[in-house]
């Protein structure tokens, strides 16, 4: 699964936190679809860490919403539910009422 390792290394070079996290989530999903459970798990850990670097909880929620929509469009309801649960977790932990109200 070298191609996925190359994708992860390339994602590490992306300066934009949200884009880097989104790419890592995508790579993790592709690894899981390809049957690389161990690689998917490692990449998910990196994706979680990259997501935590996104300063705005609202931006995190929007990113997870986009990921959930993409999974749903691809017919992967389980992955869509996982991304949606992540969005809910971030939205519920947002301290600002404004941020909670703006979350999709």
């Amino acid at each position: 699964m070298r191609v996925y390792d190359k994708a992860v290394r390339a994602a590490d070079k992306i300066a934009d936190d949200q884009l880097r996290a989104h790419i890592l989530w995508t790579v993790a999903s592709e690894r899981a679809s390809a049957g690389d459970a161990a690689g998917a798990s490692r990449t998910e850990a990196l994706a979680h860490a990259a997501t935590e670097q996104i300063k705005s909880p609202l931006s995190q929620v929007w990113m997870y919403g986009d990921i959930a929509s993409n999974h749903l469009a691809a017919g992967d309801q389980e992955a869509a539910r996982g991304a949606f649960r992540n969005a809910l977790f971030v939205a519920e932990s947002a301290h600002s009422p404004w941020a909670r109200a703006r979350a999709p």
Side-chain angles (χ1 to χ4, degrees):
M1 302 288 170
R2 285 179 168 179
V3 68
Y4 296 119
D5 292 331
K6 286 182 179 182
V8 168
R9 285 192 301 274
D12 260 352
K13 297 175 184 176
I14 298 171
D16 182 273
D17 295 331
Q18 188 168 348
L19 180 59
R20 184 176 57 259
H22 198 166
I23 295 296
L24 288 168
W25 283 113
T26 301
V27 173
S29 175
E30 291 299 320
R31 282 187 119 148
S33 294
D36 182 10
S41 181
R42 287 190 310 272
T43 307
E44 281 182 19
L46 295 171
H48 274 293
T51 301
E52 289 177 5
Q53 296 299 311
I54 300 170
K55 291 170 184 48
S56 166
L58 180 59
S59 293
Q60 291 179 18
V61 170
W62 277 103
M63 181 197 67
Y64 281 130
D66 287 342
I67 292 169
S69 294
N70 292 340
H71 285 308
L72 196 57
D76 190 348
Q77 292 183 355
E78 183 178 335
R81 277 191 210 96
F84 185 73
R85 277 192 297 274
N86 286 341
L88 286 177
F89 176 78
V90 173
E92 288 172 348
S93 65
H95 299 293
S96 163
W98 183 87
R100 282 194 307 272
R102 296 279 302 154

